[in-house]
Amino acid sequence: MSDTADKRTTVTIGDQTFERGPQGATHQTASGDTPPLTTQQGVPVADDQNSLKAGPRGGTLLEDFHFREKIFHFDHERIPERVVHARGYGAHGFFELTDSLSDYTTAKVLGKTGTRVPAFVRFSTVAGAKGSSDLVRDVRGFAVKLYTEEGNWDLVGNNMPVFFIQDAMKFPDMVHAVKEEPDRGFPQAQSAHDNFWDFASLSPETVHMLLWVMSDRAIPRSFRFMEGFGVHTFRLINAEGNSTYVKFHWKPKQGLQSIVWNEAVKINGADPDFHRRDLWQAIESGDYPEWELGVQLFDDAFADTFDFDILDATKLIPEELVPVRRIGRLVLDRMVDNFFAETEQVAFCTQNVVPGIGFTNDPLLQGRNFSYLDTQTKRLGGPNFTHIPINAPKCPFHNFQQDGHAAMHNPKGRVNYEPNSWGAGPRENPKTGYKHFPDNNGRTTRERGELFADHYSQARQFYISQTKPEQTHIKNAFVFELSKVETPNIRSRVIAHLLNVDETLAKGVAEGLGLKDLPAPAPAARTPITDLAASTALSILKNGPDSFAGRKLGVIVTDGTDAALLNALQTQVEAEGAIMELVAPVVGGITLTDGQIIPAQQKIVGAPSVLYDAVVLLSSAEGTKLLGKDATTRDFVADAFAHAKFIAYGPDATALLAKGGITSDDMDDGVIALKNEADIKPFITTCRKLRFWDREAKTHSV
Ligand code: HDD
């Protein structure tokens, strides 16, 4: 028997030297500290390129334990993806308390100002498979695990404060309806199909959430620029055993920002990982995203007089009624070492709360408390998923649970039960142990609270709280989604509900669908439908950043680009805390007017303007001629204009505007000439507004 491992030669490719095996596989030359490759049993491997055969052209031998172990492990690499929220992206960080809630709760993490605990956050889309795109129209998951000294607290929230349904009993139906249709297996990660809208139009409790999902909240610019919500009403319980209701909010310090639908469609093609990449780049570059933890605190007296039931997850409590008190900050400052080990295997459970934090009887929350534990057991292969490092508490934990698949923390010694007379092992403690808040109204029923039946008032409130461009986006989203619905009845049913929300919206959607006769409004399960006051907190544009920090500028450059202008631009962008990417005909290097050769980050064909918050055209006269003939460049300009972005152009790049379809009649205050370095600062200041919304009405006629 001969082995191939010792038949190595050395080759030089480019300016690097490699070891080469007989079949041509090249390796970096092993340095002294390179660890030896071993099997899972720790046996050193001699050849990782060739299986063991009976002669060079003979059959592969079963004896090859290294081959069998390697393939066996590979065959078992996949675990079931999450039934919802399959596509997600996680990061580590910490939570720090800035304002004590010790009057309200015994939870230590909310007790002493300055308390800091490690955190892990996983953002996600809901409907799509693991490999789907980031910019689908969907709710975003915002799941936070805080490793406190009293155990793990999971706040498994979303980027919207309400939900589609009121009772967990309906969750499988809702999820079945939104996922791909079971006979055809499509559409992937889309709510724009008959089954979803059929279910939604037959379930008026979804209407408020539909408004949110058709709004720009469903197409966030990145995870960094969205809010998070615990959704349900929870309880805080203090040392006297008194309970205060609480709703949790995460407010991004970066401000809120979303994109427009046409951009979303294109980003999904250009960079399906747009949100992942954004978080990765921000954290890797040290620009750590941060959220404030806010709480809305209220008591039974408020709950009794509030127009809606605080146990109804399809309703929110306007911030104008109960202000959000900011009590802490969440900072994400470290990417995972391994995506699978951490982001994929992290298991959130709504039941994971710590002493001083309790549940309410919200029927959605109660159902979730069963579902998450159950799903992790299936997904992660048994009850010991809590032993996986990302899921294990960082505080000491002791109990007599033992055995099962992959057990890592079995009890030590003789004692594995209690009570025992060995005086050993962990003991319960009635003083410090978790106490459930006694809350049971004592009657068994399958009804819902009466106020749950008001399905329209808050939907109407959401709509009137939006700015004009946001209202237009909502209308357009309904028209888009319902245009994909093939059954006319379903479209009409949705309009019938929208007539109870806002007549202008309903008529606008009907018109957009070409629906000639308006249906009668859907009979409301509870009347009257109340006119509530508008709430500023519900609009994205009213809660924008006032800064271009953390945003990305795409700059088209070519050979002969003006070095002084480009350098001045770079200085201003950095001063603002923003990011600049050079987009060029080639990535290898372009030569500026001063002879300097600089690499570009992107080749123009790989970087459409949808990847940027604002763009600058800085091509030279020659470069402009070249790019003027290029379809991708024309799209770059045309899209930036259509997506209401700020566009700046250098003296030699003016012709590119016309190539992108921007005529002199179209020029507006969002298209800005950079004649010299003095024009750059005002341009960056203008970019803080993020978009030039006035343009939108002129660029979208259908
Ligand atoms: Fe859920 C995952 C958020 C209702 C059952 N959910 C999941 C995740 C988030 C949410 C963020 C992903 C966690 C992660 O990143 O691993 N879910 C919500 C919110 C809801 C909600 C904010 C309403 C307020 N969910 C809900 C109901 C049920 C579930 C009513 C079932 C009765 N959710 C699940 C699940 C998932 C899940 C099947 C799939 C994967 C997982 O749990 O870990 O158990």
Side-chain angles (χ1 to χ4, degrees), residues 312-386:
D312 174 357
T314 66
K315 308 296 188 309
L316 53 81
I317 301 179
E319 295 185 23
E320 287 75 9
L321 275 186
V322 179
V324 174
R325 175 170 158 189
R326 320 234 169 171
I327 59 152
R329 62 191 198 110
L330 170 73
V331 178
L332 297 182
D333 59 4
R334 182 164 64 87
M335 289 314 304
V336 298
D337 291 326
N338 182 273
F339 180 87
F340 183 87
E342 295 159 84
T343 308
E344 196 57 16
Q345 294 200 110
V346 66
F348 294 93
C349 296
T350 52
Q351 61 168 18
N352 292 355
V353 289
V354 294
I357 298 179
F359 309 110
T360 57
N361 287 338
D362 174 342
L364 200 70
L365 176 59
Q366 296 281 330
R368 292 179 76 192
N369 285 345
F370 161 70
S371 183
Y372 288 74
L373 178 63
D374 186 40
T375 210
Q376 310 308 355
T377 315
K378 151 97 181 158
R379 193 169 71 82
L380 298 167
N384 291 326
F385 68 87
T386 55

Side-chain angles (χ1 to χ4, degrees), residues 387-449:
H387 299 189
I388 301 171
I390 191 75
N391 295 323
K394 297 195 193 298
C395 64
F397 56 98
H398 312 279
N399 54 54
F400 294 117
Q401 294 169 24
Q402 67 173 31
D403 301 355
H405 287 286
M408 307 279 167
H409 300 301
N410 272 9
K412 287 204 172 76
R414 183 178 192 179
V415 181
N416 61 354
Y417 58 90
E418 63 99 25
N420 65 69
S421 63
W422 311 114
R427 295 285 305 276
E428 67 204 12
N429 183 335
K431 281 212 186 75
T432 55
Y434 186 91
K435 285 191 249 342
H436 288 263
F437 189 79
D439 180 15
N440 193 342
N441 67 16
R443 191 162 68 95
T444 306
T445 173
R446 286 188 187 271
E447 296 155 294
R448 297 182 195 177

